[in-house]
């Protein structure tokens, strides 16, 4: 029989082995995948904490572009407390010069592009093409390392599986095009690629790729899957999107590990109708003003703005969109940051003035201030509460409110230069009123006020572009008095009978 010491030693070795495996895979051994928060599914739950995902990230080529140093890039996001990045699978990538993006990370050099499939000599010749039945081990090693590096830095990865072919230049170079593979599939128009019928034999290839990626990333907590980027372009059908969602669900059911699924709905706004039951994140692009949040808030799921850009290079444009969207009740924001390029993975590329979008060191700091501000609140108890504003919003400005009614309030004013009499309907209490500069992250004016009940009048400091306000009711919540326990009834004691002497 083994001694107790021997049994303990064996158990400890086994535990150490499990921990080592967890470190290698990047998986948090005792964690759970990113989920919707059960107490308020408009927000995320990650490793025991409610989360909002905010970032200004590279143009989706971190994995498929072998020249991109993603460790340096992820370090840069972490240094600014940004906790999200999107990455494309490699079924789609872009030629140089696409969309007038300088040093486009999603447009790697021809010999520096990597994707899920291996290259091989075409039959009867020396032309190199992709074999869509053979996985590329180097790709999956790089993908897993990228996700693992992100996980160690607290960064969530949106794994974007597919993207429409906006024009012939992208379809011309895709591995899915029959011209570029040895499998005699994909001899179709680019607008038929993401359909269930007449898609040139590509559906089985797409299903297989989804299963392989989902299986490769099963152990990571920091992943969710987006079915298709901007499916409202290029002929992507809704039936095909629902089918891909089913493939993810079926694959994960066998794996015994469930990750969130995202669907990209529209540019700007749209009302989500008849959603797939497995979709937990509804993402929009260029969602400003954030009208799509209240339109879809009743879904009880996360609403995201997972791409913006193409509005010039001014930082304020994207800072405002981020603050506005999160303060409207959204839980995810991603600015498309063109200052991240090969050789400038720290986000310092000086892009030309005609760049379609922006991104900068300064903007990332400003989004960090949003991240810090919103996480000072008890997110699980916060909800949109614009109705408490009764007047006093500066001319030409807009206002958003999130609130834990009676306890704490977050207000964001965009536009104007000063609120000289902002009217807020608040319950009675002693409030700490603190004004916050979204550009610098500093508290500019703070005071305590006694408020009897009803409408309070607040005056902000002078500001440029925008300002935020945090109100916290310092008055202890009065709990209903607990009645004292009823006095115990004296027990009925029967008197002893005196013995009768005979």
């Amino acid at each position: 029989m083994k001694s107790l010491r021997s049994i303990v030693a064996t158990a400890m070795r086994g535990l150490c082995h499990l921990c080592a495996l967890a470190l290698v895979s990047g998986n948090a051994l005792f964690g759970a995948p990113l989920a919707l928060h059960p107490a308020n599914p408009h927000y995320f739950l990650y490793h025991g904490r409610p989360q909002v995902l905010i970032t200004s990230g590279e143009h989706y080529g971190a994995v498929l572009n072998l020249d991109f140093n993603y460790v340096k890039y992820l370090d840069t996001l972490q240094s600014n407390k940004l906790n999200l990045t999107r990455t494309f699978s490699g079924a789609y990538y872009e030629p140089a010069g696409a969309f007038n993006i300088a040093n486009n990370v999603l447009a790697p050099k021809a010999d520096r592009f990597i994707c899920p499939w291996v290259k091989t000599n075409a039959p009867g010749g020396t032309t190199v093409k992709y074999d869509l039945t053979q996985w590329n081990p180097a790709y999956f090693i790089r993908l897993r390392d990228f996700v693992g590096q992100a996980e160690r830095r607290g960064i969530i990865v949106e794994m974007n599986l597919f993207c429409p072919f906006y024009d012939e230049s992208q379809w011309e170079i895709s591995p899915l095009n029959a011209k570029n593979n040895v499998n005699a599939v994909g001899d179709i128009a680019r607008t038929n690629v993401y359909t269930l019928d007449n898609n040139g034999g590509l559906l089985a290839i797409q299903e297989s790729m989804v299963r392989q990626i989902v299986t490769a990333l099963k152990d990571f907590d920091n992943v969710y899957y987006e079915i298709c980027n901007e499916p409202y372009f290029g002929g992507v059908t809704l039936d095909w999107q629902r089918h891909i969602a089913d493939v993810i669900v079926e694959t994960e059911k066998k794996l015994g590990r469930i990750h969130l699924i995202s669907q990209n709905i529209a540019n700007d706004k749209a009302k989500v109708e008849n959603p797939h039951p497995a979709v937990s994140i509804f993402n929009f692009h260029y969602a400003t003003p954030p009208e799509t949040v209240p339109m879809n808030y009743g879904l009880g799921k996360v609403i995201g703005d997972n791409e913006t850009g193409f509005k010039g290079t001014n930082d304020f444009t994207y800072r405002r969109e981020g603050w506005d969207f999160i303060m409207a009740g959204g839980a995810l924001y991603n600015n498309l940051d063109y200052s991240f390029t090969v050789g400038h993975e720290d986000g310092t590329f000086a892009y030309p003035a005609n760049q379609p979008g922006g991104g900068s060191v300064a903007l990332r700091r400003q989004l960090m201030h949003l991240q810090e501000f919103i996480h000072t609140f008890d997110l699980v108890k916060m909800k949109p509460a614009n109705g408490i504003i009764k007047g006093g919003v500066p001319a030409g400005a807009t206002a958003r409110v999130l609130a834990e009614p009676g306890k704490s309030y977050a207000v964001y004013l965009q536009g104007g230069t000063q609120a000289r009499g902002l009217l807020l309907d608040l319950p009675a209490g002693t409030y700490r009123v603190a004004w916050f500069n979204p550009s610098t992250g500093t508290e500019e004016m703070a005071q305590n006020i006694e408020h009897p009940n009803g409408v309070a009048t607040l005056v902000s400091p002078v500001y440029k572009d925008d300002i935020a306000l945090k109100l916290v009711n310092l008055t202890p919540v009065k709990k209903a008095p607990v009645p004292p326990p009823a006095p115990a009834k004296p027990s009925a004691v029967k008197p002893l009978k005196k013995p009768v002497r005979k």
Side-chain angles (χ1 to χ4, degrees), residues 80 82 360-370 438-439:
N80 291 128
L82 302 179
S360 68
V361 172
L363 175 61
R364 290 190 293 275
R365 286 177 182 154
Q366 292 165 19
L367 293 178
M368 177 180 71
H369 302 326
L370 169 58
S439 177

Side-chain angles (χ1 to χ4, degrees), residues 62-82:
V63 174
L64 60 83
N65 189 331
L66 287 171
D67 286 328
F68 190 77
N69 183 344
Y70 54 71
V71 172
K72 188 174 183 180
Y73 161 67
L74 294 170
D75 281 343
T76 304
L77 293 187
Q78 182 187 30
S79 69
N80 291 128
K81 301 181 182 179
L82 302 179

Side-chain angles (χ1 to χ4, degrees), residues 122 127-130 168 171-188:
T127 304
V128 176
K129 294 186 177 183
Y130 295 94
E168 292 301 319
W171 179 229
E172 193 71 17
I173 61 175
S174 173
L176 299 179
N177 190 323
K179 295 169 57 176
N180 303 318
N181 65 67
V182 299
N183 311 100
V185 296
D187 187 13
I188 52 174

Side-chain angles (χ1 to χ4, degrees), residues 104-105 117 123 195 200 226 233 267 289 304 362 411 430 445 450 489:
N104 186 357
V105 181
W117 305 284
T195 63
E226 179 148 280
F233 296 112
N267 279 358
V411 183
T430 300
M445 189 170 73
E450 295 290 338
K489 293 181 179 179

Side-chain angles (χ1 to χ4, degrees), residues 32-38 40-46 51 53 84 156-161 210 214 217-218 220-227 244-245 248-249 252 257-263 276-283 300-303 331-332:
L34 179 77
L36 301 186
H37 201 292
N40 185 349
H42 296 102
Y43 295 108
F44 294 104
L45 175 67
Y46 185 60
Q51 292 279 303
L53 303 182
L84 173 67
I156 305 301
V157 176
E158 179 192 297
M159 183 70 227
N160 194 288
L161 298 168
V210 170
V214 169
L217 300 180
K218 68 182 179 67
F220 294 96
D221 295 346
N222 62 321
V223 175
Y224 70 87
Y225 298 104
E226 179 148 280
I227 299 165
I244 296 299
I248 298 171
V249 171
E252 293 211 305
R257 195 156 165 83
I258 308 302
H259 295 81
L260 298 180
I261 299 174
S262 159
Q263 185 175 358
H276 190 290
V279 173
S280 297
I281 306 168
F282 296 94
N283 274 326
K301 302 289 179 72
V302 162
I303 310 299
L332 185 156

Side-chain angles (χ1 to χ4, degrees), residues 117-323:
W117 305 284
V118 298
K119 285 184 177 181
T120 186
N121 288 338
T126 58
T127 304
V128 176
K129 294 186 177 183
Y130 295 94
D131 184 343
L132 302 183
T133 66
Q134 299 293 322
W135 303 121
N136 183 352
Y139 170 83
F140 288 97
I141 290 171
R142 183 172 172 89
L143 174 63
R144 283 175 56 82
D145 186 60
F146 173 72
V147 177
Q149 295 283 355
E151 186 171 49
R152 287 192 282 276
R153 292 162 175 80
I155 297 170
I156 305 301
V157 176
E158 179 192 297
M159 183 70 227
N160 194 288
L161 298 168
F162 299 100
C163 182
F165 301 97
Y166 301 93
D167 58 44
E168 292 301 319
S169 68
Q170 299 115 24
W171 179 229
E172 193 71 17
I173 61 175
S174 173
L176 299 179
N177 190 323
K179 295 169 57 176
N180 303 318
N181 65 67
V182 299
N183 311 100
V185 296
D187 187 13
I188 52 174
R190 60 183 173 83
T191 51
N192 286 343
V193 172
Y194 303 116
T195 63
L196 295 181
D197 301 314
N198 192 32
N199 77 341
L202 287 176
L203 183 61
I205 301 297
Q206 294 160 352
E207 293 172 340
S208 183
M209 188 201 83
V210 170
R211 293 189 190 101
Q212 186 68 14
I213 289 177
V214 169
T215 300
L217 300 180
K218 68 182 179 67
D219 293 325
F220 294 96
D221 295 346
N222 62 321
V223 175
Y224 70 87
Y225 298 104
E226 179 148 280
I227 299 165
C228 186
N229 177 67
E230 298 193 333
Y232 31 91
F233 296 112
V236 183
T237 66
L238 184 58
D239 286 345
W240 177 88
Q241 293 177 69
R242 295 179 73 88
H243 178 73
I244 296 299
D246 288 338
V247 173
I248 298 171
V249 171
E250 291 165 8
T251 303
E252 293 211 305
K253 186 176 181 181
K254 294 175 183 177
L255 296 172
R257 195 156 165 83
I258 308 302
H259 295 81
L260 298 180
I261 299 174
S262 159
Q263 185 175 358
N264 188 190
I265 302 299
N267 279 358
D268 187 19
K269 61 186 175 184
K271 176 71 172 173
V272 176
E273 304 287 354
N274 190 29
H276 190 290
V279 173
S280 297
I281 306 168
F282 296 94
N283 274 326
F284 297 80
H285 288 185
Y286 315 103
T288 182
E291 296 171 358
T292 201
V293 178
M295 284 176 66
N296 295 293
Y297 202 77
L299 293 170
K301 302 289 179 72
V302 162
I303 310 299
D305 182 2
N306 72 330
E307 180 182 293
T308 191
F310 284 80
K311 300 176 185 177
T313 59
N314 188 296
D315 285 347
F316 172 60
T317 300
Y318 307 111
R319 178 181 89 222
R320 170 181 57 193
E321 184 171 338
W323 274 84

Side-chain angles (χ1 to χ4, degrees), residues 322-339:
W323 274 84
D324 222 19
F325 193 87
I326 297 302
M327 294 293 289
L332 185 156
Y333 177 73
N334 170 48
N335 173 64
L336 192 49
D337 194 324
Y338 296 112
S339 70

